[in-house]
Structure formats: C-alpha cells, structure tokens
Amino acid sequence: MINPTISLIERRVSANLFHASHALTDAEVEELVSLATRAPTAYNLQNWRFIAVRAPEAKARLRALAYGQAKVQQAAVTFLICGVLPDHGTLSARLLPFVKAGFMPAVMASDWQEGARAQYANPQTARDEAVRSATLGAATLIFAAEAQGLASGPMIGFDAEGVAREFGLGPNEVPVMLVAVGRAAPGNWPQKPRRPLAEVLEIS
C-alpha cells in the first residue's frame, strides 16, 4: 500500500481552474497557514508572512497586479507569501520556549543569534534567505492544501513592486510567490512529465 504522503506528492497538480463559488472560512485559512509554518527555516527564524487575499475587492486588485490571471479571483483565497529579511534580534524570543523546555542550552541560543547576525550581514545573503524561507513555506502550504482535498496554483507572474505597494509590505518584506487555493474546476491538466532521474540525480 502506497504511503498517503507519497500518493499526495504524486497526484498534486498546479491548478489553473477553480470553482469561483467555493469559499474557505477563517478557520480553514488559519489551519492552512498553521501547517505551512511547520516548514523549516534557518536558525528557526520563521522569517515569512502570509497574506490571505480573500475579499472580492482585494482579489481584483491582486489580479490586476498578476497580469490578469483569472485564478487569482476564482480561487477561494490567493495567498501572497512574503519572505522577511532575517533579523537576528528576533531569535532570542523565538528560541526561548525551546530553551525553557530544556531542549537547547541558553549558550547555544546565543551562539545561533550571533551566527545569524554574521551570516546575514550581507544584503544579498539576507535576501536569499528570505526567498528560501518563503519558498519552503509556500511548498508546505501547497501540500497542506492537497491533503485537505483542495487544489493550488503557485504563481511567480506578478508585479512585485506593485504588490508590495498595494498590500502595504514593509521594506524588509520580499513578495516571493502567489498561491491560489480552492476547489478545482473541471479541465485542469494532469501533472506534467518530469525529467528522468538520470538527468537530475548524481550519487557520489
């Protein structure tokens, strides 16, 4: 019997067609994002933000910035997934419960904080980490949606500067990806062919 997680990975598709009448409740949106935040981040920075665009007027504004892609409006919700530039100053509070529970020595938490400060002093390295974290969160959101019987459609085709301005992103936030989530309508393609392992895998 195939493991259900493997089956989910094998059947997932990037949907373009959604039932426009389908809606998600606040609790359902919160559950998806709660699961997405289980994704890993360097140093446990959790440097991401998820904006759930669900109101019709907000969807219309986002669709205009996504070059008119209909799925932005047709999906129950379109998530704007932002990476946040790493801030080593946040680590103390984020690691404190782990330290108090006895899993991590306090000196190690301090070392992590200093490591993050040094590693992300370079602006390009900091931006790369923001994009990595947001992408891991987006991927986990996609599979969380699939596990709940929903379809998803990730998008990188949008005006990043316009989105940042229109949705009030801070100077430390990078709009990385849109992910439309909802109930699939008929007509979506099956999963497209993948390259052979011989082309993408090296075992050394």
Side-chain angles (χ1 to χ4, degrees):
M1 182 176 179
I2 297 178
N3 181 285
T5 302
I6 293 174
S7 177
L8 183 150
I9 292 168
E10 291 179 339
R11 72 172 183 261
R12 185 212 59 82
V13 302
S14 295
N16 285 305
L17 303 174
F18 294 87
H19 282 291
S21 61
H22 178 238
L24 289 173
T25 65
D26 287 358
E28 289 171 321
V29 170
E30 289 168 2
E31 176 67 9
L32 286 170
V33 174
S34 177
L35 290 167
T37 62
R38 298 288 182 157
T41 54
Y43 297 100
N44 194 42
L45 280 162
Q46 302 178 62
N47 52 318
W48 42 37
R49 189 157 74 96
F50 300 80
I51 301 173
V53 181
R54 193 179 57 175
E57 181 271 336
K59 282 184 180 178
R61 287 190 289 128
L62 184 56
R63 178 177 178 176
L65 292 163
Y67 311 119
Q69 294 181 79
K71 59 188 168 184
V72 171
Q73 278 186 296
Q74 291 172 349
V77 58
T78 296
F79 290 95
L80 167 54
I81 301 177
C82 307
V84 180
L85 299 178
D87 176 4
H88 70 280
T90 65
L91 275 177
S92 178
R94 290 176 189 171
L95 293 173
L96 185 59
F98 212 57
V99 172
K100 284 187 171 180
F103 293 113
M104 175 181 280
V107 67
M108 182 180 289
S110 296
D111 288 346
W112 279 28
Q113 189 168 4
E114 174 56 25
R117 184 203 63 75
Q119 185 166 352
Y120 302 121
N122 179 288
Q124 184 61 56
T125 305
R127 191 181 190 283
D128 289 348
E129 195 60 65
V131 173
R132 262 193 297 271
S133 296
T135 302
L136 286 166
T140 305
L141 176 71
I142 286 167
F143 288 112
E146 186 73 27
Q148 295 189 6
L150 300 169
S152 63
M155 292 166 269
I156 58 168
F158 61 92
D159 175 358
E161 289 185 4
V163 163
R165 182 176 59 252
E166 190 70 23
F167 289 87
L169 270 60
N172 65 330
E173 295 179 320
V174 181
V176 172
M177 193 178 307
L178 305 179
V179 179
V181 174
R183 183 172 296 151
N188 283 297
W189 290 343
Q191 192 177 93
K192 293 178 283 297
R194 266 34 188 183
R195 293 168 61 189
L197 280 182
E199 294 181 7
V200 299
L201 172 65
E202 177 182 341
I203 300 175
S204 58

